[in-house]
Amino acid sequence: MKAKLLFSTLLLLATLGLLACASRSRPASAETEIHDLEVKINSSYAANDLTAYFAAYAPDFTQWLPEGRTDLAAYRREWTEYIAAGNRVQSAEFSDLHIQVGPSQDAAVASYLLHVKTKLADGRITEEDNQETDVFFKRDGVWKIVELHYSLLPKKAP
């Protein structure tokens, strides 16, 4: 009886040890990775950290803004000039994040609402609510935004 109890205890401990190791070594889910990236990207946007912000985009990135379609080179140039002119994002807070991951786990879409507060070079403060959709591809093990759509959230009638 003692041998049976000892064997059962050892088996249970070995199983728990294997489960603990497996859970520690398991990579984060694609959904968790995208969520964490959205936090990082929007934090760098809010901090006006252009190096960190633009590191999130793929070289073949395109986006739709209210002004039309643009590519990474044009967006980087325009946004860098905007910040260099003295305009500063003061905060960028997202909500209602919805993440969809493709079956192959190498494509994802993140859509959310983004509240942005900006202090313009002339001292005025603006606040906007935007709708954003980011399309990510995982290439060579790294997630990058390949497509972005950004538009103002329509104002609700009073």
Side-chain angles (χ1 to χ4, degrees):
M1 184 70 175
K2 266 187 171 180
K4 207 177 207 184
L5 181 59
L6 180 61
F7 177 75
S8 295
T9 303
L10 289 174
L11 184 61
L12 176 63
L13 289 173
T15 303
L16 290 174
L18 287 173
L19 288 173
C21 287
S23 68
R24 270 185 278 152
S25 63
R26 187 174 300 140
S29 72
E31 187 171 335
T32 299
E33 290 175 346
I34 296 301
H35 174 274
D36 294 349
L37 278 171
E38 287 294 0
V39 169
K40 183 179 177 181
I41 293 162
N42 283 294
S43 293
S44 63
Y45 179 76
N48 303 288
D49 182 346
L50 300 182
T51 301
Y53 177 65
F54 284 111
Y57 296 100
D60 58 339
F61 165 82
T62 58
Q63 74 176 343
W64 276 108
L65 297 174
E67 299 81 18
R69 185 180 302 183
T70 190
D71 62 14
L72 183 59
Y75 180 44
R76 183 188 310 261
R77 182 180 60 255
E78 291 165 8
W79 193 249
T80 299
E81 289 171 1
Y82 180 79
I83 297 300
N87 302 294
R88 293 287 182 268
V89 176
Q90 292 192 313
S91 64
E93 299 171 3
F94 68 87
S95 62
D96 197 22
L97 177 64
H98 181 71
I99 299 170
Q100 298 166 278
V101 179
S104 63
Q105 302 293 299
D106 63 356
V109 177
S111 59
Y112 52 93
L113 300 176
L114 184 65
H115 181 80
V116 179
K117 184 176 179 181
T118 306
K119 183 174 184 181
L120 302 177
D122 66 7
R124 288 181 298 133
I125 304 290
T126 65
E127 293 193 50
E128 296 178 343
D129 290 308
N130 302 281
Q131 302 166 115
E132 183 163 338
T133 300
D134 300 331
V135 179
F136 291 84
F137 286 172
K138 190 172 195 176
R139 297 172 173 157
D140 298 322
V142 179
W143 289 105
K144 295 285 185 176
I145 298 174
V146 295
E147 180 75 34
L148 181 149
H149 180 258
Y150 188 87
S151 60
L152 284 173
L153 183 67
K155 300 280 185 203
K156 292 183 179 177

